[in-house]
Amino acid sequence: MSDDLRYPIGNGYTFGNVVDEKDYPEYIQTIADAPEILRAAVKGLSEEQLDTPYRPGGWTVRQVVHHLADSHMNAFIRTKLALTEEKPTIKPYDEAAWARLPDSEMPIDLSLQILDALHQRWVRVWKSVPREAFRARGFVHPEHKSFVQLDQALQMYAWHCRHHTAHITKLVEREGW
C-alpha cells in the first residue's frame, strides 16, 4: 500500500514487466471479481459522495466508475484484436477528456452493468487463450512505443481493477463513510 493518493496500491504499472505464467489464473480471477468488488466499494454512497474527488484535483468516484467501463471496453477490444490480428496497433484515447464528457455525470449503475457483462465476456476470452499465445500475441501501443504481450496486458488490467477500486475504498476510509 502507498500513502500517495494517486497510487493507493503502489506507484503505477510499468510496461514491459516479465510476467510469470503461474500468475495468469490469479490475474484472470482479479478481472472476474472486479465488478463485484467495485459494487461493494460504492454501495450506499450518496450522490454527494459519488461526486467527491478521490484526491484533490482527481476524478470523482462517479468518474472513476465510468472510467473503468470506458477503459475496460477498450481493453476488451485490444485483447480481441491481439488474438485475431498480427501485432495490431491500438488506438490510444484521452482518458481525462473522456472523463469530462457528459456521460460521466450519469448514474453509475449504467457503467456497473456494463462492467458486469463485459468482464464475463473478457474472462471467457482470457480463459481461452492458449498458454503460448500469452507471450506470442499482443498489440503495439504507440504512446509507449512498445509491443505489449497479452500476459503483460492481463497483468496491467488486473492492476488497473485494483488501482481504481482502491481510489474509492481509500477515500471512503479517509472520510469515514
Side-chain angles (χ1 to χ4, degrees), residues 75-99:
F76 176 63
I77 290 167
R78 291 171 179 180
T79 304
K80 291 182 82 164
L81 286 170
L83 290 167
T84 60
E85 298 179 14
E86 270 316 302
K87 297 185 179 178
T89 298
I90 56 104
K91 170 82 172 79
Y93 63 101
D94 184 340
E95 297 173 350
W98 283 38

Side-chain angles (χ1 to χ4, degrees), residues 14 26 42 44 46 48 78-79 81-82 88 97 117 127 139 162 166 169:
T14 304
E26 176 188 337
V42 298
S46 69
E48 182 180 342
R78 291 171 179 180
T79 304
L81 286 170
K127 287 182 175 181
F139 52 81
R162 294 187 322 272
T169 58

